[in-house]
DNA sequence: TTGAAAGCGCTAACAT
DNA sequence: ATGTTAGCGCTTTCAA
């Protein structure tokens, strides 16, 4: 079933059918209707490979996710896919491991599938500009930005929260409740990614409050997964008994941390407060409800696609959007009792 | 940058380059090496649209997910994507709403993108055979099967647990602990999908135990999401005070139910036991740890892709795989105290 | 307003 | 072992 078949049935040429299919103006109303009619009757669907070959690009957008384990990403993928489809594009989905290079993966996809653009989730992006030039399509970093790289602002787009600032806010919320011995549970202090940025916010808040950084209260888990976070929290508990609050740099880690505290006989929040960042669905159903800074996941996903489409369709240049979080006070943080203020 | 450029640089014809690229045998070692060399130097990547056009099909597999909110699906998507890529194919990802028709969505994708096959997640599939015939590529139902439809076994593949039987096992675990007033929290009793099957298992277990079905203990939430499950559980609590256990047909719903019980002053498991099915990551970190039947998500995803590839590559016919679950005894179920046995 | 025809980049049949 | 060439299905000039 090709455009020829349709043309044959209608007694017109293939170019006329093509015009109808692509909404070109120069077609008589009568012909247009007949073609559309036959198309519907025969359930004809154009062959995208042929279209893409002629136009030398597909109506496809690539989504490269590094570390699909992260439940926060799941909440981003949904609005991203929805928005892409609404705009008439298709999503090619690719996940890579944390140790893989998202730029290389993206570049390969673009070349082989003729993608129109890319969205990255969970990338590092401390790449040199010449590396990023491998990507000859627009791309947007979703939920992070090129904080550690040398990319020029006008060469890529991003939609993210201000990780450093928001982490600072999270820690300040704990400080406000009187906590002074505040531990941090994170992936790594120097991963050139989210984790490091949020760590910087943590350090900044402590320093502003006149508190010294206590290296013994910094627990690195290497990965984002819950099992690692649980294990990390247990190490911390075994090692120290004097902290009264924990800042987990992601909700999933915070939930695992609460579990570890509970399993080790420490009550949240009475014995130890816990705060996270992300606002994943699950965190509203933990017991107690996690206190966290909620990222606007829907808006973040939609905006990322919007920026990309604006670039692809030539409506705008690269832009960088900073979205605010909303503090949800759950039950996992409480005011420090005076006698605990060791 | 096309195959012609490569041919030019190497002083050979395009067909020779094509042969090298496709690992055809009839190429001298010297030429093969030179071509590969130039390909690497120039970072040449073949244009898939052109390839697909010639071969009239792409190396793409479609994944149609109905109801992406379900966290269990997330754990399936990962192994599915991984296996697809390992086999040299690409994933085209499409999500639809619960009210949408996955068959229609799949058929459109197949036609326009020339997909080689489809994997469905969360479909209903009570479709008539003539509807399924719209799909002229092999497809596999992942984590469910065509229980309510008239499809012939040899016309599709599936990889799933025995939902009815496993639901029965879950309820039997509660019965074994002495529970008699067992409520069920589910999507719908007649959705022609997972929910209905698990409901049938629930009814079967009760009936085998000589217990009458108490309609007042059946709570339908209409959707799978946690907010709905929480609300449903609250309705149940308000309505009845005599049940001692709840079977939630999905882990996400079970976690929300535990939260609702807690927020309404009922302790899990002392006042009410909770059991789920799925084994999502989060359920191991709820407090208490959820008792649940764990589905082998990794294996389920991998096997689905394997079956599909076997079909696509002509190695095997359609098959139907039933995978077992593993009961994880968490802390959300306890033995009924005698005095509670009202 | 319509049609004829030239490619888009690649594969594979056929020729050498 | 290698080259020549005819399409794959479509869009888009160019001509009518």
């Amino acid at each position: 079933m090709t455009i020829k078949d349709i043309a044959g049935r209608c007694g017109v040429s293939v170019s006329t059918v093509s015009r109808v299919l692509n909404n070109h103006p120069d077609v008589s109303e009568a012909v247009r209707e007949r073609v559309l009619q036959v198309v519907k009757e025969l359930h004809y669907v154009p062959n995208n490979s042929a279209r893409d070959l002629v136009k030398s690009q597909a109506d496809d957008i690539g989504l490269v996710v590094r570390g699909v384990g992260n439940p926060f990403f799941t909440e981003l993928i949904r609005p991203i896919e929805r928005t892409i489809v609404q705009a008439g594009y298709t999503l090619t989905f690719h996940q890579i491991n944390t140790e893989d290079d998202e730029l290389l993966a993206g570049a390969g996809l673009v070349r082989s599938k003729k993608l129109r653009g890319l969205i990255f989730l969970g990338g590092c992006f401390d790449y040199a500009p010449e590396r990023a030039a491998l990507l000859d399509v627009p791309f947007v970093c979703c939920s992070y930005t090129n904080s550690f790289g040398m990319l020029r602002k006008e060469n890529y787009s991003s939609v993210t929260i201000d990780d450093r600032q928001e982490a600072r806010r999270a820690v300040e919320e704990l400080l406000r409740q009187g906590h002074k011995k505040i531990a941090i549970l994170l992936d790594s202090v120097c991963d050139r990614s989210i984790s490091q940025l949020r760590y910087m916010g943590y350090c900044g808040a402590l320093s502003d409050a006149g508190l010294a950084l206590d290296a013994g209260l910094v627990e690195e888990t290497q990965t984002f997964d819950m099992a690692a976070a649980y294990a990390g929290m247990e190490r911390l508990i075994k090692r120290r008994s004097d902290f009264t609050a924990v800042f987990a740099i992601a909700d999933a880690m915070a939930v695992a941390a609460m579990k570890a505290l509970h399993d080790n006989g420490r009550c949240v929040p009475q014995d130890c407060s816990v705060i996270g960042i992300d606002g994943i669905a699950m965190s509203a159903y933990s017991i107690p409800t996690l206190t966290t800074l909620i990222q606007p996941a829907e808006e973040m996903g939609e905006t990322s696609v919007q920026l990309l489409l604006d670039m692809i369709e030539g409506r705008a240049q690269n832009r960088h959007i900073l979205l605010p979080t909303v503090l949800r006070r759950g039950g996992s943080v409480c005011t420090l009792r005076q006698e605990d203020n060791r």
Side-chain angles (χ1 to χ4, degrees), chain A:
Chain A
M1 169 73 57
T2 75
I3 201 173
K4 258 189 191 160
D5 301 310
I6 306 293
R9 305 259 184 169
C10 298
V12 298
S13 73
V14 290
S15 26
T16 300
V17 176
S18 174
R19 286 189 187 101
V20 173
L21 259 23
N22 292 283
N23 287 314
H24 285 263
D26 293 340
V27 185
S28 74
E29 206 42 52
V31 172
R32 177 183 305 277
E33 268 179 27
R34 192 144 42 87
V35 170
L36 255 18
Q37 170 70 21
V38 173
V39 162
K40 181 176 276 179
E41 261 172 30
L42 270 51
H43 292 112
Y44 166 75
V45 179
N47 180 332
N48 258 309
S49 311
R51 281 192 153 162
D52 297 345
L53 179 56
V54 172
K55 312 208 284 192
S56 79
Q57 48 185 351
D59 279 345
D60 274 27
I61 287 173
L63 175 61
V64 177
V65 184
R66 213 178 61 160
V68 205
N70 192 336
F72 178 61
F73 290 165
T74 312
E75 314 205 358
L76 249 16
I77 293 174
R78 201 170 5 193
I80 288 175
E81 202 268 352
R82 181 168 29 76
T83 315
I84 285 177
V85 168
Q86 273 168 6
Y89 292 79
T90 328
L91 211 209
T92 290
F93 178 82
H94 188 58
Q95 65 187 335
I96 57 176
N97 296 318
T98 330
E99 60 273 20
D100 293 339
D101 179 333
E102 69 268 20
L103 256 185
L104 234 50
L109 268 188
V110 167
R111 300 257 207 137
S112 74
K113 318 286 287 187
K114 299 293 167 213
L115 304 183
R116 301 290 295 275
L118 281 173
I119 294 181
F120 290 102
L121 238 51
C124 266
F125 258 97
D126 53 347
Y127 299 116
E130 57 273 22
R131 299 278 330 279
L134 281 178
L135 261 33
D136 46 1
V137 295
F139 62 91
V140 9
C141 306
C142 178
S143 81
Y144 71 103
T145 190
N146 182 38
S147 317
F148 300 101
M150 305 291 286
L151 246 46
R152 300 182 56 184
K153 287 276 177 205
E154 60 268 34
N155 291 333
Y156 73 106
S157 290
S158 70
V159 181
T160 178
I161 60 169
D162 183 336
D163 284 289
R164 193 164 163 177
Q165 187 53 38
E166 301 291 359
R168 177 188 288 261
R169 268 183 71 201
V171 176
E172 283 169 354
E173 169 72 8
L174 295 173
L175 290 166
R176 211 163 19 240
Q177 307 303 323
H179 297 279
K180 297 213 170 359
K181 297 278 193 183
I182 301 174
I184 180 170
L185 188 63
L186 42 40
D187 193 16
S188 159
V189 297
C190 57
D191 69 344
R192 317 269 280 164
S193 176
I194 304 287
S195 193
Q196 183 170 352
L197 281 174
R198 296 189 181 172
Y199 177 63
M200 289 161 71
Y202 165 80
C203 295
L206 291 187
S207 144
D208 280 6
L211 296 171
L213 178 67
D214 181 343
L217 292 178
V218 176
E219 187 62 44
E220 298 182 65
T221 59
Q222 305 314 322
T223 76
F224 262 102
D225 70 66
M226 301 184 76
Y230 184 92
M233 194 65 221
E234 279 203 317
R235 283 196 300 276
L236 195 55
I237 295 169
K238 300 259 147 68
R239 187 169 69 235
R240 299 279 292 249
S241 58
D242 59 337
F243 59 91
T244 64
V246 178
F247 165 45
I249 62 141
D251 275 9
M253 298 178 78
V255 169
M258 288 206 282
K259 177 74 168 171
L261 284 161
H262 174 269
D263 289 355
N264 285 271
R266 305 259 245 135
C267 250
V268 175
Q270 296 84 342
D271 300 330
C272 181
S273 290
V274 176
I275 194 167
I277 295 189
D278 278 349
I280 59 174
M282 218 64 172
S283 73
Y285 297 92
S286 63
I287 299 176
T289 300
L290 184 65
T291 294
T292 190
L293 294 173
I294 301 181
Q295 299 202 49
E298 287 281 321
E299 187 183 356
M300 196 172 273
E302 280 170 16
T303 308
S304 298
V305 176
Q306 221 51 71
L307 291 195
L308 190 60
L309 293 177
D310 283 350
M311 290 289 298
I312 289 174
E313 295 169 4
R315 276 190 301 275
Q317 296 300 304
N318 274 307
R319 282 179 290 164
H320 298 270
I321 310 282
L322 222 47
L323 260 21
T325 66
V326 172
L327 172 63
R328 177 188 68 211
R329 290 205 168 86
S332 68
V333 170
C334 72
T335 306
L336 189 66
R337 290 166 300 176
Q338 206 49 47
E339 67 268 30
D340 278 345
N341 211 337
R342 297 164 275 203

